[in-house]
Amino acid sequence: MSEAAATIFTAIAGGLFALAVAYIGYRAGQRQTTDQATVEHGQWLRGQRQQAYLAFVDTWDTTVDSLQRLQQSWESRVCEYQQGDRLDDPTEEPSRVLGDARRAVRRDLERVELLGPQRIDVAVRAMEDAFREMRDVIAAQMATGATCPHWDEWNPVTVRANTARFNFYAAAIRTLRQPPSPEGESEGLGEC
């Protein structure tokens, strides 16, 4: 092989090596940019989730408290109405409170459901079911208008509501404490 051919061969090999290094560098840079964007999105999502979860728990606590106050004052409200000391129908306030509670919980609940992940969706559904049961017990009392209401169902329903809140809180902690990673969220279906 002549000296010129060796020089040309070396130049071609060097050029191919430079192209390979450039391509590897390009792919590594692209991967790094993608990973960084994934982590930044994960951090943003975690912040959004934290705000949504806290707002939901706050709304939940306020709503459950108002339902419990409603339940506790039920008998006195009905007695006052029947004795003529109270002019407004005793079912007006519960009806208003139930409507306001449903709207408040629904708004924050939808935001939480949008942000996920699945373990939160499962916990939220349990809270939604417990809330619906509380509403149903009060609505049943409103329908009967009894002065001596039978609240036998109330305590088990409030226990389920408190359990659902505890489970949601535990799922929220688990979700928020998981740091964002370049792989994104890796949550399996069985992980609840």
Side-chain angles (χ1 to χ4, degrees), residues 125-164:
R125 278 197 251 349
M127 288 179 80
E128 188 175 20
D129 291 344
F131 176 71
R132 188 176 306 113
E133 288 176 358
M134 292 176 84
R135 272 191 5 231
D136 290 348
V137 170
I138 291 176
Q141 281 307 138
M142 286 172 46
T144 62
T147 55
C148 295
H150 302 285
W151 292 104
D152 297 339
E153 299 171 26
W154 186 254
N155 286 338
V157 166
T158 57
V159 167
R160 283 192 294 278
N162 290 334
T163 302

mmCIF file of all heavy atoms in Angstrom, residues 125-164:
data_model
loop_
_atom_site.group_PDB
_atom_site.id
_atom_site.type_symbol
_atom_site.label_atom_id
_atom_site.label_comp_id
_atom_site.label_asym_id
_atom_site.label_seq_id
_atom_site.Cartn_x
_atom_site.Cartn_y
_atom_site.Cartn_z
ATOM 1 N N ARG A 125 -62.057 6.870 45.221
ATOM 2 C CA ARG A 125 -63.348 6.197 45.015
ATOM 3 C C ARG A 125 -63.938 5.722 46.348
ATOM 4 O O ARG A 125 -65.143 5.808 46.568
ATOM 5 C CB ARG A 125 -63.196 5.026 44.057
ATOM 6 C CG ARG A 125 -63.215 5.455 42.592
ATOM 7 C CD ARG A 125 -63.478 4.332 41.645
ATOM 8 N NE ARG A 125 -62.511 3.759 40.767
ATOM 9 C CZ ARG A 125 -61.294 4.158 40.428
ATOM 10 N NH1 ARG A 125 -60.805 5.204 40.945
ATOM 11 N NH2 ARG A 125 -60.539 3.516 39.577
ATOM 12 N N ALA A 126 -63.080 5.241 47.230
ATOM 13 C CA ALA A 126 -63.551 4.811 48.555
ATOM 14 C C ALA A 126 -64.083 6.013 49.345
ATOM 15 O O ALA A 126 -65.112 5.908 50.026
ATOM 16 C CB ALA A 126 -62.425 4.125 49.320
ATOM 17 N N MET A 127 -63.414 7.148 49.238
ATOM 18 C CA MET A 127 -63.894 8.357 49.926
ATOM 19 C C MET A 127 -65.211 8.830 49.324
ATOM 20 O O MET A 127 -66.119 9.246 50.044
ATOM 21 C CB MET A 127 -62.847 9.467 49.848
ATOM 22 C CG MET A 127 -61.639 9.221 50.709
ATOM 23 S SD MET A 127 -60.410 10.519 50.577
ATOM 24 C CE MET A 127 -61.116 11.752 51.667
ATOM 25 N N GLU A 128 -65.304 8.765 48.025
ATOM 26 C CA GLU A 128 -66.531 9.174 47.354
ATOM 27 C C GLU A 128 -67.699 8.285 47.781
ATOM 28 O O GLU A 128 -68.804 8.776 48.048
ATOM 29 C CB GLU A 128 -66.334 9.114 45.842
ATOM 30 C CG GLU A 128 -67.462 9.700 45.042
ATOM 31 C CD GLU A 128 -67.158 9.726 43.557
ATOM 32 O OE1 GLU A 128 -66.263 8.977 43.089
ATOM 33 O OE2 GLU A 128 -67.818 10.499 42.858
ATOM 34 N N ASP A 129 -67.454 6.983 47.877
ATOM 35 C CA ASP A 129 -68.499 6.062 48.323
ATOM 36 C C ASP A 129 -68.918 6.358 49.763
ATOM 37 O O ASP A 129 -70.106 6.353 50.090
ATOM 38 C CB ASP A 129 -68.033 4.609 48.204
ATOM 39 C CG ASP A 129 -67.877 4.159 46.763
ATOM 40 O OD1 ASP A 129 -68.413 4.835 45.855
ATOM 41 O OD2 ASP A 129 -67.206 3.128 46.540
ATOM 42 N N ALA A 130 -67.940 6.620 50.630
ATOM 43 C CA ALA A 130 -68.242 6.932 52.028
ATOM 44 C C ALA A 130 -69.031 8.234 52.138
ATOM 45 O O ALA A 130 -69.992 8.328 52.911
ATOM 46 C CB ALA A 130 -66.950 7.037 52.834
ATOM 47 N N PHE A 131 -68.661 9.218 51.347
ATOM 48 C CA PHE A 131 -69.383 10.489 51.348
ATOM 49 C C PHE A 131 -70.821 10.281 50.875
ATOM 50 O O PHE A 131 -71.769 10.809 51.464
ATOM 51 C CB PHE A 131 -68.663 11.505 50.459
ATOM 52 C CG PHE A 131 -69.389 12.811 50.333
ATOM 53 C CD1 PHE A 131 -69.451 13.685 51.398
ATOM 54 C CD2 PHE A 131 -70.024 13.153 49.155
ATOM 55 C CE1 PHE A 131 -70.128 14.885 51.292
ATOM 56 C CE2 PHE A 131 -70.697 14.348 49.031
ATOM 57 C CZ PHE A 131 -70.752 15.220 50.112
ATOM 58 N N ARG A 132 -70.984 9.496 49.837
ATOM 59 C CA ARG A 132 -72.324 9.218 49.319
ATOM 60 C C ARG A 132 -73.176 8.517 50.383
ATOM 61 O O ARG A 132 -74.359 8.827 50.554
ATOM 62 C CB ARG A 132 -72.234 8.355 48.059
ATOM 63 C CG ARG A 132 -73.558 8.183 47.349
ATOM 64 C CD ARG A 132 -73.455 7.397 46.049
ATOM 65 N NE ARG A 132 -72.463 7.943 45.135
ATOM 66 C CZ ARG A 132 -71.322 7.324 44.790
ATOM 67 N NH1 ARG A 132 -71.040 6.140 45.252
ATOM 68 N NH2 ARG A 132 -70.486 7.885 43.943
ATOM 69 N N GLU A 133 -72.577 7.594 51.134
ATOM 70 C CA GLU A 133 -73.307 6.907 52.195
ATOM 71 C C GLU A 133 -73.741 7.892 53.284
ATOM 72 O O GLU A 133 -74.871 7.803 53.788
ATOM 73 C CB GLU A 133 -72.446 5.803 52.817
ATOM 74 C CG GLU A 133 -72.247 4.607 51.922
ATOM 75 C CD GLU A 133 -71.301 3.574 52.530
ATOM 76 O OE1 GLU A 133 -70.764 3.824 53.642
ATOM 77 O OE2 GLU A 133 -71.102 2.526 51.907
ATOM 78 N N MET A 134 -72.861 8.830 53.636
ATOM 79 C CA MET A 134 -73.225 9.840 54.641
ATOM 80 C C MET A 134 -74.400 10.677 54.138
ATOM 81 O O MET A 134 -75.353 10.943 54.882
ATOM 82 C CB MET A 134 -72.026 10.735 54.959
ATOM 83 C CG MET A 134 -70.901 10.033 55.682
ATOM 84 S SD MET A 134 -69.478 11.110 55.927
ATOM 85 C CE MET A 134 -69.994 11.949 57.420
ATOM 86 N N ARG A 135 -74.316 11.096 52.894
ATOM 87 C CA ARG A 135 -75.400 11.889 52.302
ATOM 88 C C ARG A 135 -76.700 11.100 52.285
ATOM 89 O O ARG A 135 -77.770 11.640 52.574
ATOM 90 C CB ARG A 135 -75.040 12.284 50.868
ATOM 91 C CG ARG A 135 -74.280 13.550 50.742
ATOM 92 C CD ARG A 135 -74.190 14.031 49.302
ATOM 93 N NE ARG A 135 -74.928 13.252 48.331
ATOM 94 C CZ ARG A 135 -74.412 12.782 47.213
ATOM 95 N NH1 ARG A 135 -73.157 12.987 46.912
ATOM 96 N NH2 ARG A 135 -75.150 12.103 46.365
ATOM 97 N N ASP A 136 -76.614 9.815 51.946
ATOM 98 C CA ASP A 136 -77.816 8.984 51.861
ATOM 99 C C ASP A 136 -78.492 8.834 53.216
ATOM 100 O O ASP A 136 -79.732 8.833 53.300
ATOM 101 C CB ASP A 136 -77.478 7.604 51.283
ATOM 102 C CG ASP A 136 -77.110 7.661 49.803
ATOM 103 O OD1 ASP A 136 -77.331 8.725 49.170
ATOM 104 O OD2 ASP A 136 -76.586 6.653 49.297
ATOM 105 N N VAL A 137 -77.706 8.688 54.280
ATOM 106 C CA VAL A 137 -78.293 8.559 55.616
ATOM 107 C C VAL A 137 -79.034 9.841 55.979
ATOM 108 O O VAL A 137 -80.164 9.799 56.484
ATOM 109 C CB VAL A 137 -77.205 8.231 56.669
ATOM 110 C CG1 VAL A 137 -77.754 8.348 58.079
ATOM 111 C CG2 VAL A 137 -76.647 6.839 56.434
ATOM 112 N N ILE A 138 -78.428 10.991 55.710
ATOM 113 C CA ILE A 138 -79.092 12.265 56.017
ATOM 114 C C ILE A 138 -80.308 12.455 55.122
ATOM 115 O O ILE A 138 -81.371 12.894 55.581
ATOM 116 C CB ILE A 138 -78.103 13.440 55.898
ATOM 117 C CG1 ILE A 138 -77.080 13.338 57.026
ATOM 118 C CG2 ILE A 138 -78.832 14.776 55.945
ATOM 119 C CD1 ILE A 138 -75.977 14.362 56.983
ATOM 120 N N ALA A 139 -80.191 12.114 53.856
ATOM 121 C CA ALA A 139 -81.330 12.241 52.947
ATOM 122 C C ALA A 139 -82.483 11.340 53.385
ATOM 123 O O ALA A 139 -83.648 11.730 53.292
ATOM 124 C CB ALA A 139 -80.899 11.910 51.520
ATOM 125 N N ALA A 140 -82.177 10.153 53.888
ATOM 126 C CA ALA A 140 -83.230 9.256 54.371
ATOM 127 C C ALA A 140 -83.938 9.874 55.571
ATOM 128 O O ALA A 140 -85.164 9.785 55.693
ATOM 129 C CB ALA A 140 -82.639 7.892 54.733
ATOM 130 N N GLN A 141 -83.185 10.523 56.451
ATOM 131 C CA GLN A 141 -83.800 11.203 57.595
ATOM 132 C C GLN A 141 -84.662 12.370 57.127
ATOM 133 O O GLN A 141 -85.728 12.619 57.678
ATOM 134 C CB GLN A 141 -82.738 11.716 58.564
ATOM 135 C CG GLN A 141 -82.172 10.678 59.476
ATOM 136 C CD GLN A 141 -83.212 9.894 60.254
ATOM 137 O OE1 GLN A 141 -83.080 8.694 60.376
ATOM 138 N NE2 GLN A 141 -84.235 10.513 60.782
ATOM 139 N N MET A 142 -84.178 13.076 56.105
ATOM 140 C CA MET A 142 -84.967 14.189 55.578
ATOM 141 C C MET A 142 -86.284 13.674 55.015
ATOM 142 O O MET A 142 -87.323 14.312 55.173
ATOM 143 C CB MET A 142 -84.185 14.919 54.481
ATOM 144 C CG MET A 142 -83.051 15.767 55.005
ATOM 145 S SD MET A 142 -81.992 16.449 53.707
ATOM 146 C CE MET A 142 -83.133 17.080 52.519
ATOM 147 N N ALA A 143 -86.246 12.525 54.390
ATOM 148 C CA ALA A 143 -87.458 11.967 53.779
ATOM 149 C C ALA A 143 -88.477 11.554 54.833
ATOM 150 O O ALA A 143 -89.676 11.719 54.637
ATOM 151 C CB ALA A 143 -87.094 10.777 52.900
ATOM 152 N N THR A 144 -87.994 11.030 55.972
ATOM 153 C CA THR A 144 -88.931 10.611 57.014
ATOM 154 C C THR A 144 -89.366 11.777 57.876
ATOM 155 O O THR A 144 -90.473 11.762 58.411
ATOM 156 C CB THR A 144 -88.321 9.525 57.921
ATOM 157 O OG1 THR A 144 -87.172 10.065 58.578
ATOM 158 C CG2 THR A 144 -87.957 8.295 57.129
ATOM 159 N N GLY A 145 -88.492 12.773 58.063
ATOM 160 C CA GLY A 145 -88.816 13.936 58.884
ATOM 161 C C GLY A 145 -89.067 13.569 60.336
ATOM 162 O O GLY A 145 -89.783 14.254 61.044
ATOM 163 N N ALA A 146 -88.489 12.495 60.794
ATOM 164 C CA ALA A 146 -88.744 11.999 62.141
ATOM 165 C C ALA A 146 -88.182 12.920 63.212
ATOM 166 O O ALA A 146 -87.132 13.516 63.040
ATOM 167 C CB ALA A 146 -88.140 10.605 62.290
ATOM 168 N N THR A 147 -88.922 13.030 64.322
ATOM 169 C CA THR A 147 -88.414 13.804 65.458
ATOM 170 C C THR A 147 -87.456 12.967 66.279
ATOM 171 O O THR A 147 -86.602 13.505 66.959
ATOM 172 C CB THR A 147 -89.567 14.277 66.374
ATOM 173 O OG1 THR A 147 -90.329 13.150 66.766
ATOM 174 C CG2 THR A 147 -90.426 15.289 65.676
ATOM 175 N N CYS A 148 -87.625 11.708 66.266
ATOM 176 C CA CYS A 148 -86.700 10.813 66.961
ATOM 177 C C CYS A 148 -86.018 9.966 65.891
ATOM 178 O O CYS A 148 -86.394 8.820 65.649
ATOM 179 C CB CYS A 148 -87.444 9.923 67.955
ATOM 180 S SG CYS A 148 -88.206 10.836 69.290
ATOM 181 N N PRO A 149 -85.061 10.545 65.257
ATOM 182 C CA PRO A 149 -84.446 9.844 64.122
ATOM 183 C C PRO A 149 -83.701 8.591 64.561
ATOM 184 O O PRO A 149 -83.258 8.476 65.688
ATOM 185 C CB PRO A 149 -83.474 10.876 63.549
ATOM 186 C CG PRO A 149 -83.208 11.809 64.664
ATOM 187 C CD PRO A 149 -84.431 11.816 65.534
ATOM 188 N N HIS A 150 -83.637 7.703 63.653
ATOM 189 C CA HIS A 150 -82.895 6.465 63.884
ATOM 190 C C HIS A 150 -81.557 6.604 63.155
ATOM 191 O O HIS A 150 -81.484 6.466 61.944
ATOM 192 C CB HIS A 150 -83.682 5.255 63.361
ATOM 193 C CG HIS A 150 -85.021 5.138 64.002
ATOM 194 N ND1 HIS A 150 -85.188 4.685 65.280
ATOM 195 C CD2 HIS A 150 -86.258 5.457 63.553
ATOM 196 C CE1 HIS A 150 -86.458 4.712 65.600
ATOM 197 N NE2 HIS A 150 -87.136 5.180 64.561
ATOM 198 N N TRP A 151 -80.529 6.886 63.911
ATOM 199 C CA TRP A 151 -79.213 7.126 63.327
ATOM 200 C C TRP A 151 -78.321 5.892 63.467
ATOM 201 O O TRP A 151 -77.106 6.012 63.559
ATOM 202 C CB TRP A 151 -78.548 8.329 64.000
ATOM 203 C CG TRP A 151 -79.224 9.616 63.685
ATOM 204 C CD1 TRP A 151 -80.039 10.333 64.500
ATOM 205 C CD2 TRP A 151 -79.139 10.356 62.466
ATOM 206 N NE1 TRP A 151 -80.463 11.477 63.865
ATOM 207 C CE2 TRP A 151 -79.929 11.510 62.614
ATOM 208 C CE3 TRP A 151 -78.496 10.140 61.255
ATOM 209 C CZ2 TRP A 151 -80.081 12.453 61.612
ATOM 210 C CZ3 TRP A 151 -78.641 11.086 60.252
ATOM 211 C CH2 TRP A 151 -79.420 12.225 60.438
ATOM 212 N N ASP A 152 -78.931 4.733 63.484
ATOM 213 C CA ASP A 152 -78.147 3.502 63.646
ATOM 214 C C ASP A 152 -77.094 3.361 62.557
ATOM 215 O O ASP A 152 -76.024 2.800 62.795
ATOM 216 C CB ASP A 152 -79.063 2.272 63.608
ATOM 217 C CG ASP A 152 -80.063 2.268 64.748
ATOM 218 O OD1 ASP A 152 -79.803 2.963 65.756
ATOM 219 O OD2 ASP A 152 -81.098 1.598 64.623
ATOM 220 N N GLU A 153 -77.395 3.851 61.381
ATOM 221 C CA GLU A 153 -76.463 3.722 60.257
ATOM 222 C C GLU A 153 -75.348 4.767 60.304
ATOM 223 O O GLU A 153 -74.346 4.619 59.618
ATOM 224 C CB GLU A 153 -77.230 3.865 58.940
ATOM 225 C CG GLU A 153 -78.293 2.828 58.730
ATOM 226 C CD GLU A 153 -79.158 3.152 57.525
ATOM 227 O OE1 GLU A 153 -78.668 3.849 56.610
ATOM 228 O OE2 GLU A 153 -80.313 2.713 57.497
ATOM 229 N N TRP A 154 -75.523 5.821 61.082
ATOM 230 C CA TRP A 154 -74.591 6.942 61.040
ATOM 231 C C TRP A 154 -73.191 6.567 61.515
ATOM 232 O O TRP A 154 -72.205 6.893 60.849
ATOM 233 C CB TRP A 154 -75.138 8.119 61.847
ATOM 234 C CG TRP A 154 -74.287 9.331 61.705
ATOM 235 C CD1 TRP A 154 -73.438 9.852 62.639
ATOM 236 C CD2 TRP A 154 -74.163 10.165 60.555
ATOM 237 N NE1 TRP A 154 -72.807 10.959 62.149
ATOM 238 C CE2 TRP A 154 -73.237 11.178 60.864
ATOM 239 C CE3 TRP A 154 -74.744 10.155 59.292
ATOM 240 C CZ2 TRP A 154 -72.882 12.165 59.959
ATOM 241 C CZ3 TRP A 154 -74.391 11.156 58.399
ATOM 242 C CH2 TRP A 154 -73.471 12.132 58.742
ATOM 243 N N ASN A 155 -73.082 5.909 62.661
ATOM 244 C CA ASN A 155 -71.753 5.588 63.179
ATOM 245 C C ASN A 155 -70.949 4.689 62.240
ATOM 246 O O ASN A 155 -69.773 4.978 61.979
ATOM 247 C CB ASN A 155 -71.841 4.994 64.582
ATOM 248 C CG ASN A 155 -72.170 6.057 65.615
ATOM 249 O OD1 ASN A 155 -71.936 7.242 65.395
ATOM 250 N ND2 ASN A 155 -72.726 5.631 66.731
ATOM 251 N N PRO A 156 -71.518 3.609 61.715
ATOM 252 C CA PRO A 156 -70.739 2.802 60.760
ATOM 253 C C PRO A 156 -70.327 3.589 59.515
ATOM 254 O O PRO A 156 -69.234 3.404 58.984
ATOM 255 C CB PRO A 156 -71.679 1.658 60.383
ATOM 256 C CG PRO A 156 -72.688 1.587 61.472
ATOM 257 C CD PRO A 156 -72.812 2.976 62.018
ATOM 258 N N VAL A 157 -71.188 4.489 59.067
ATOM 259 C CA VAL A 157 -70.864 5.288 57.885
ATOM 260 C C VAL A 157 -69.717 6.248 58.189
ATOM 261 O O VAL A 157 -68.808 6.411 57.376
ATOM 262 C CB VAL A 157 -72.124 6.051 57.401
ATOM 263 C CG1 VAL A 157 -71.779 7.126 56.404
ATOM 264 C CG2 VAL A 157 -73.119 5.082 56.811
ATOM 265 N N THR A 158 -69.737 6.868 59.362
ATOM 266 C CA THR A 158 -68.643 7.786 59.699
ATOM 267 C C THR A 158 -67.332 7.031 59.911
ATOM 268 O O THR A 158 -66.266 7.548 59.586
ATOM 269 C CB THR A 158 -68.971 8.650 60.931
ATOM 270 O OG1 THR A 158 -69.279 7.807 62.035
ATOM 271 C CG2 THR A 158 -70.110 9.596 60.648
ATOM 272 N N VAL A 159 -67.417 5.815 60.422
ATOM 273 C CA VAL A 159 -66.201 4.991 60.564
ATOM 274 C C VAL A 159 -65.628 4.693 59.178
ATOM 275 O O VAL A 159 -64.413 4.812 58.963
ATOM 276 C CB VAL A 159 -66.496 3.691 61.351
ATOM 277 C CG1 VAL A 159 -65.346 2.705 61.225
ATOM 278 C CG2 VAL A 159 -66.769 4.009 62.810
ATOM 279 N N ARG A 160 -66.488 4.339 58.225
ATOM 280 C CA ARG A 160 -66.010 4.083 56.861
ATOM 281 C C ARG A 160 -65.427 5.353 56.239
ATOM 282 O O ARG A 160 -64.428 5.295 55.528
ATOM 283 C CB ARG A 160 -67.134 3.516 56.001
ATOM 284 C CG ARG A 160 -67.402 2.057 56.265
ATOM 285 C CD ARG A 160 -68.303 1.415 55.232
ATOM 286 N NE ARG A 160 -69.670 1.915 55.214
ATOM 287 C CZ ARG A 160 -70.628 1.515 56.028
ATOM 288 N NH1 ARG A 160 -70.371 0.606 56.954
ATOM 289 N NH2 ARG A 160 -71.850 2.007 55.928
ATOM 290 N N ALA A 161 -66.033 6.479 56.514
ATOM 291 C CA ALA A 161 -65.518 7.749 55.981
ATOM 292 C C ALA A 161 -64.144 8.064 56.560
ATOM 293 O O ALA A 161 -63.232 8.474 55.831
ATOM 294 C CB ALA A 161 -66.494 8.885 56.279
ATOM 295 N N ASN A 162 -63.981 7.858 57.867
ATOM 296 C CA ASN A 162 -62.676 8.107 58.487
ATOM 297 C C ASN A 162 -61.615 7.131 57.986
ATOM 298 O O ASN A 162 -60.464 7.513 57.770
ATOM 299 C CB ASN A 162 -62.795 8.029 60.015
ATOM 300 C CG ASN A 162 -63.565 9.193 60.587
ATOM 301 O OD1 ASN A 162 -63.610 10.277 60.005
ATOM 302 N ND2 ASN A 162 -64.201 8.983 61.722
ATOM 303 N N THR A 163 -62.006 5.896 57.777
ATOM 304 C CA THR A 163 -61.076 4.898 57.234
ATOM 305 C C THR A 163 -60.670 5.270 55.813
ATOM 306 O O THR A 163 -59.487 5.173 55.451
ATOM 307 C CB THR A 163 -61.719 3.498 57.264
ATOM 308 O OG1 THR A 163 -62.065 3.187 58.611
ATOM 309 C CG2 THR A 163 -60.785 2.448 56.711
ATOM 310 N N ALA A 164 -61.639 5.696 55.014
ATOM 311 C CA ALA A 164 -61.341 6.092 53.635
ATOM 312 C C ALA A 164 -60.393 7.288 53.610
ATOM 313 O O ALA A 164 -59.467 7.339 52.795
ATOM 314 C CB ALA A 164 -62.634 6.426 52.892
#
